[in-house]
Amino acid sequence: MTFFRELTDKPWLTEYVPLELTETKAESNELPAKTALKFFLVVVTVLFVLFTITFLSRSQANDFQALSGEPWLPFTDASQLWINTTILLFAGVCMQLTVFFLKKEQINRFILLISCGCLLSCLFIFGQINVWQQLYYAGFALTENPANSYFYLLTGIHGLHIIGGVLALSYVVFQFWLKNNKKRLLDNLTLCTVYWHYLFVVWLFLFALLTGNTATYKSIALFCGF
Amino acid sequence: MAISIVIVLLVIGSLIFHYVSPWWFTPLASNWGAIDDTINITLWVTGVVFVLVSLFLAYVVFRFQYNKNRRAHYEPENKKLEGWLTAITALGVAAMLAPGLFVWGSFITVPDESDVFEAVGQQWHWSFRLPGDDGKLGRTAIQLISERNPFGLDINDPSGQDDILILSNEMHIPIERSVKVLLRSKDVLHNFAVPQFRVKMDLVPGAVTYLWFKPTKIGRYEILCEELCGVAHYTMRGHVVVDSAEDYQKWLSEQQTFAQSMALPLGDLDKGRQIYAGCISCHGPKGEGNESLNAPRLAGMSSWYIKRQLAYFQKKIRGTESNDTFGQLMSRMSTLLPDQSAINDVAFYINSLVPDEAEHSSIGDLVKGKQLYSTCSFCHGEQAQGNFAMNAPKLSGQHDWYLSRQLKSYKNGTRGNHPFDLYGSQMMLMSRLLHDEQDITDVISYIGTLDKGLLGKASLSKGSLPKSTLPKGSAETDSSDTASLKKSD
Amino acid sequence: MTQTTHTAIADQVDDSHHPQSFISKYIWSQDHKVIAIQYSITAIGVGLVALVLSGMMRLQLGFPDQFSFIDPSSYLQFVTMHGMIMVIYLLTALLLGGFGNYLIPLMIGARDMVFPYLNMLSYWTYLLAVIVLLASFFVSGGPTGAGWTLYPPQAILNGTPGADNGIVFMLISLAIFIVAFTMGGLNYVTTILQARAKGMTLMRMPLTVWGIFVATILGLLAFPALLVSAIMMLFDKLVGTSFFMPAILSLGENIDYKGGSPILFQHLFWFFGHPEVYIVALPAFGMVSDVIATHARKNIFGYRMMVWAIIAIGGLSFVVWAHHMYVSGMNPYFGFFFATTTLIIAVPTAIKVYNWLLTLWQGNIHLTIPMLFAIGFIFTFTHGGLTGLMLGNVVVDLPLSDTYFVVAHFHMVMGVSPVMVLFAAIYHWFPKVSGKFLHTGLGKVHFWGTFLGTYAIYLPMHYLGFLGVPRRYYAMGTTDFIPESAQALNASITISAIIVGVIQLVFVFNVIWSVFKGKKAGDNPWNSTTLEWQTSQTPPVHGNWGPSLPVVHRWAYDFSVPGVKDDFIPQNVHPDQVIMLEKEDGAEMVKGAENEEGMQNNKSGDIT
């Protein structure tokens, strides 16, 4: 890593970094927003990793009843969640195509797809809420069991991140409408797309985590040394 | 200039303070001399570094003060010097760490031959349990805890039957025998710390933690809770008494097992009524109390409280201070009760008495009183109804003059000062919150407003009867001793 | 990302951001300098509240039963709010939100933060967090009294003051603060990585920027742990889940929880809580380095080692958290690991102390007010760091944990020391912020009062800990192991504390007085090398640099370079513009360079 190589510089040697060098390299800059997004994704990752660790630790308590594994448990058949997953996947695909068509300047398709992206994301949220309702009516209320609590909590936090993404996307479009700066729109949409893909990966992870069965948690926890 | 001198003076002052001050560890009373040694090693290493660094700082600041004819030296780094300093520091750190880890290893490895007892923490009391003859502690569950079964033992577990229960803030252990203390909490985090033994550990609800030590000096040592556990955290004290082997056996033989405690009858109303005839002259036929004879109202008081106070009077724990004339009187009267079952019966009878509505004469500031009572309410209850789990007697319905006198007694040490009044010390600390006469009047006036509608209910604590299995739901009703008895009949 | 880079904001004079009215200039400002001042004033304001709270605690401890307005509930509430405000809402906010905001763009030669709007949002979110926090004083039951660690179960159960509403306000306020910090933190990191002026390589950055940079990254990684624990505890409190709540009684009543683990919360809390110590300490380390170098007219000794130490401390701070939990009932074998890591962290920390001392060595020390505070810092930090070694050594912690020794230790290392640096920094940078010097005489009173006063508070307090006096006790009462004389010690601590508290009013007065009547300072009153002193206007205007950005030609510590006329060369001075001494000083030049091979050549290349 150049970062670590640079740490061994002896800065009091003024000739070490000739100015010319720094100027020529300046063009390879990435967008500040991209750097910020990278760090933000790291922060969000830390957040979910910590939730996961508490989840695994909590899953080893006696009163923990996993949500799948037995026929009467809700996620033994997780088809509803698979539908939601597909929706979110398509939302991400739409976002990716949005960038693609914007680059090609096919504005109509761009508008169509960005609307699709937003709608599908909202649909995903409604799908998740639907799952909550089904769970609730099947007797898996929030406080019944820590596994339920975690399901509502983690899907909720994930959903909030999606909603945040939709808001940010609206803001980006709104800015474009105000200032009509296409370069900026493209940059920002690219970042939004990255965010969508990231949230899809997080969702896949949460999906796998939350619908595991007791034996899975046991072996993961054993492996992690809880 | 001044700063250099001051730093030198601070260093010298700190050293003098260290060597002259009388404030140091209380003398060790356990096997953990190794901990003290580690502290000394660490203190020496860090102390020497502190003195050297500080004096060097003072010297540098003095020596290289601004001089317009001089120029600072230019030296970006000196790898050799930095390397040496790093190495020496690492060495010093290792010298402290190695013995520390070694001693920690012995702290977490309990010797096989250790005795075991369990210390149970709750807001804001201690109680203890010994495994009994079989050497095994019985299973417990929080849901099983009740007034009859304050440890929450599972009645179906045979290994729990012979567990010796010590429902008191004081525990005895024999000298020169290493002991493993299992720590269990009924409610929040607590900490079992005895400064003389040097070791401490948190009590964590839902888990059992432990520590071990070997007492080496006979004496009575204070247990402190050192993990914030609520408003009365600072009053959560207990005692460990280190006895000689004989004294310990004597003490042990006086304690009850779980089976014995469950076999105790609740009490006999008829016998209790007969015994109470001796109390009527002062306390009144209905237990209503009498101001002119300085007799407090007894009707409706919880039997556990009456029992404890009668035992205190009998054992000269209460009513011995020279300025406590009424207490002395009661102390003499209490000797008329021949045995434990008499106490049991009369307490049971007193609990069943339904008092008249009390008259309250105190006229204080109710708003101020309510404010002051907010601290009391944690234990004595929002309605001053008392709470067995908190060892807090009922206050509502009691005569103002009696409450006032007791509060003053606690404040001036007439009551609660005896070393074996294990709960009085808590009230002594708490009574200090009432700074003057007016505060006492205010809070008593407020308590006086609380007894409407609560008369005859001894306690609102749940589930007075022993339960043998975990409750399915929490559909329990508020019930006094008497009510529960009727149900069980 | 390592090369010097510049962005739209850093490059262009963007007129659209120029303030027009009073409101857009001072209230809804996007100028990092105004936001920094807003952060600082809010943080210091709420810090003064916390100072008063500590005074109340001390009154009760020093003179028990004298003050009827302090009962055990309010005492615990004072303890809790004092701790939380000081650690998070004062120190974190002031060091990163205040100094970070002010200094980062100026020191790296940028016009502003890369996201000025986000920056403004960060402040207003922070203000909201403070308001929610202070609002908890006015809800029924008052603020939470669970201790600043907010350990469940007691934090959310009856029996602890503020368990109904106060704790909810506290947790929500913390969550809001974390959002504010994340917005600010992303901004600082991105700005440092992307908006540095030409020639400002990472290793040419002043240590202040390094400290803030690493501390911000720590914050970004550590605050999520607090957020996680706050969210989960809010669920436990409001919805009735059992994340942290085992089956327990509450004041004798069975309540509807089961299975959770209180220790899990402690792990999460300290996974945030320990890096938090360094979130406060690292910016302080950085700033004090710059103050020392400037006022001793000497380059920082071992700059690279200092940077590496900052990074090493930052990294290690994530693997030492459980040293706060030696007696928490966690798996006792963790003790070995965490004691070892904890004592390892002492090595880079000690290196920093050595390097400050060696920077002073053979310097030309101006005993200005900032320098006095910096010297005070070295002394108190050494003291606090060394007692930290005692507590970090797991066995020594057994008798000392949860006693006043701990209180004395962390106040020395995390209270007094950073505050010393904060004052050093305020006296140092105030001329840049306001264009005026702070009054020196008042500054001396302030320094001596604070330095001696705090030492008089905390040295004796360690001995209360040796005696075994537990912390968070409303009153000790009579015990058989604490002598009566300990009360005299407590009383003297209280008196010192009140004196120190009152002395801070001198400082507040000094600031207000100096803003209006202070002696005028020029652009670079301390003859400093770093970029913030090289602005053409003082205080710097919006955009900082006028028409063209500075170009950096050297590191931040070219003080007393042999052979050069002035005893400092600003970072943006081109080698050709350096004014040399007459020839006869050449000998000294060689001598100064002998420790570094090749440096002489480079220097002379630089100079000629």
Side-chain angles (χ1 to χ4, degrees), chain A residues 132-143:
Chain A
W132 285 5
Q133 278 175 338
Q134 286 176 7
L135 269 185
Y136 181 78
Y137 288 120
F140 293 87
L142 177 64
T143 55

Side-chain angles (χ1 to χ4, degrees), chain C residues 98-116:
Chain C
F99 282 95
N101 247 321
Y102 200 92
L103 294 177
I104 290 172
L106 278 168
M107 281 189 149
I108 64 172
R111 293 206 182 278
D112 203 323
M113 291 287 178
V114 289
F115 310 114

Side-chain angles (χ1 to χ4, degrees), chain B residues 371-387:
Chain B
Q371 217 173 5
L372 288 166
Y373 185 74
S374 66
T375 308
C376 321
S377 71
F378 288 111
C379 292
H380 292 280
E382 293 287 341
Q383 301 298 322
Q385 72 271 30
N387 186 345

Side-chain angles (χ1 to χ4, degrees), chain B residues 123 186-188 230 378, chain C residues 151-164 167 237 245-246 248-251 255 257:
Chain B
Q123 284 170 326
K186 289 187 196 172
D187 37 40
V188 301
F378 288 111
Chain C
Y151 282 175
Q154 50 109 2
I156 59 173
L157 291 183
N158 198 3
T160 299
D164 290 328
I167 184 71
K237 169 71 197 165
M245 302 294 280
I248 45 174
L249 302 182
S250 171
L251 300 182
I255 48 173
Y257 290 113

Side-chain angles (χ1 to χ4, degrees), chain A residues 110 114 118 168-178 185 189:
Chain A
F110 158 73
I114 200 166
C118 275
L169 186 64
S170 325
Y171 178 76
V172 165
V173 175
F174 180 69
Q175 282 290 314
F176 176 66
W177 182 68
L178 277 185
L185 177 68
L189 277 181

